[in-house]
Amino acid sequence: MEGTVNRVEKAAAVDELKTALAGTTVAMLADPRGITVSELTELRKVLRHQGVALRVVKNTLARLAIAETELQELKPYFAGPTAIVYGGGDPTVPSKLLASFMKTKPTFQIKAGFAEGRVLTAQDAMALADLPSREVLAARLAGILQSPLRGLVTVLSGPLRSFLMVLEAVRQQKG
């Protein structure tokens, strides 16, 4: 009977993790060795404020939870102590937060990542931290697209402005 309860608990844990990871667009796997519980709790708070979650997982249960999902390509990286950092928004956010945390806690290491539908090496995952956020990139793109339009408006308004200046000069002469 005890084995049955254990299986039920494991199945529930797998379902819970599968539900939590549903809709995840970015995930980072990390080795939390050398990090105290209080440091991990503090990291969770910082991540949570940015819409990102951190969970220390049992590898066998995590492998079951990600089976038949986009994250299944991460299976080989579930070895040794594993913490999964995941979210559904901008892929640069978890990377930036983890990079900042790793500056003070170098024992915390990224194993691999997942973003935009593909697996990332640890180096690629951390390289996301150097990229500007989607909002910044969108603003830059808008600026680039707006610049030629502004020039076109200036060019097109030049003759009209000259015509209006001539009309004003004629009005003042006659007036």
Side-chain angles (χ1 to χ4, degrees):
M1 181 70 184
E2 190 165 314
T4 307
V5 172
N6 200 9
R7 271 194 208 135
V8 171
E9 288 174 358
K10 285 181 182 179
V14 168
D15 286 343
E16 180 191 352
L17 184 57
K18 190 177 238 179
T19 301
L21 294 174
T24 293
T25 58
V26 61
M28 304 288 168
L29 300 184
D31 184 344
R33 281 186 273 210
I35 306 300
T36 66
V37 173
S38 63
E39 290 168 337
L40 214 49
T41 302
E42 190 59 36
L43 177 59
R44 272 191 185 103
K45 282 182 192 175
V46 171
L47 292 168
R48 196 176 317 120
H49 285 292
Q50 297 296 322
V52 180
L54 179 143
R55 193 180 272 202
V56 177
V57 294
K58 289 189 176 199
N59 293 327
T60 53
L61 300 180
R63 280 190 213 107
L64 291 171
I66 65 170
E68 300 173 21
T69 70
E70 278 192 312
L71 300 175
Q72 70 184 351
E73 301 297 320
L74 289 173
K75 277 185 183 182
Y77 299 100
F78 283 98
T82 305
I84 185 167
V85 177
Y86 58 94
D90 186 345
T92 62
V93 171
S95 292
K96 289 176 190 283
L97 296 170
L98 291 176
S100 176
F101 181 74
M102 288 169 57
K103 287 177 185 170
T104 59
K105 304 294 178 204
T107 57
F108 189 85
Q109 292 296 310
I110 299 300
K111 296 180 183 184
F114 176 87
E116 304 295 328
R118 68 182 194 99
V119 174
L120 307 171
T121 64
Q123 293 81 9
D124 291 342
M126 292 318 299
L128 287 175
D130 297 330
L131 294 176
S133 70
R134 280 194 173 147
E135 292 80 17
V136 171
L137 289 174
R140 286 182 186 172
L141 179 61
I144 289 169
L145 293 174
Q146 190 178 31
S147 181
L149 293 176
R150 191 177 300 131
L152 179 63
V153 168
T154 302
V155 168
L156 293 176
S157 67
L160 182 60
R161 192 177 307 120
S162 297
F163 179 69
L164 290 174
M165 288 170 60
V166 168
L167 285 178
E168 180 64 23
V170 169
R171 187 186 67 81
Q172 285 179 0
Q173 261 184 351
K174 291 190 176 189

